[in-house]
Amino acid sequence: MGWLWAIIVGFVLGLLAKAIIPGKQHIPLWLTTILGILGAVGGNAVARAAGVDATAGIDWWRHIFQLVAAVALVAIGDRAYMSFKGRQRRA
């Protein structure tokens, strides 16, 4: 069940990240989901390091860290994907 939640959270975070980043992103949905999952894992690590990983009620800081990490990863992933696709077309 943990993997299913990771995929769902990664999917939602990836879509939110794509909505926040200005302009059009060209990465496919599967890569958006993977980068969202990695953003959730990275955000959890940052929240744990900051000492706000487990609070009473909703862990807003953890969710903010997850979203910021997902936005950064989707932005970087989109640039890398387009760079890779551009090189493939030239060859």
Side-chain angles (χ1 to χ4, degrees), residues 21-68:
I21 298 170
K24 180 170 175 28
Q25 291 76 44
H26 302 88
I27 59 175
L29 192 57
W30 63 268
L31 186 56
T32 303
T33 303
I34 290 172
L35 293 173
I37 291 170
L38 292 174
V41 170
N44 283 340
V46 171
R48 193 172 303 118
V52 293
D53 59 332
T55 59
I58 299 174
D59 295 331
W60 291 111
W61 283 108
R62 181 173 54 104
H63 297 312
I64 291 170
F65 288 136
Q66 288 175 337
L67 184 59
V68 169

Side-chain angles (χ1 to χ4, degrees), residues 62-85:
R62 181 173 54 104
H63 297 312
I64 291 170
F65 288 136
Q66 288 175 337
L67 184 59
V68 169
V71 167
L73 288 174
V74 168
I76 292 168
D78 183 55
R79 286 184 180 233
Y81 182 79
M82 289 310 294
S83 173
F84 179 72
K85 290 298 262 188

Side-chain angles (χ1 to χ4, degrees), residues 12-25:
V12 171
L13 279 173
L15 289 180
L16 284 172
K18 283 181 88 168
I20 291 172
I21 298 170
K24 180 170 175 28
Q25 291 76 44

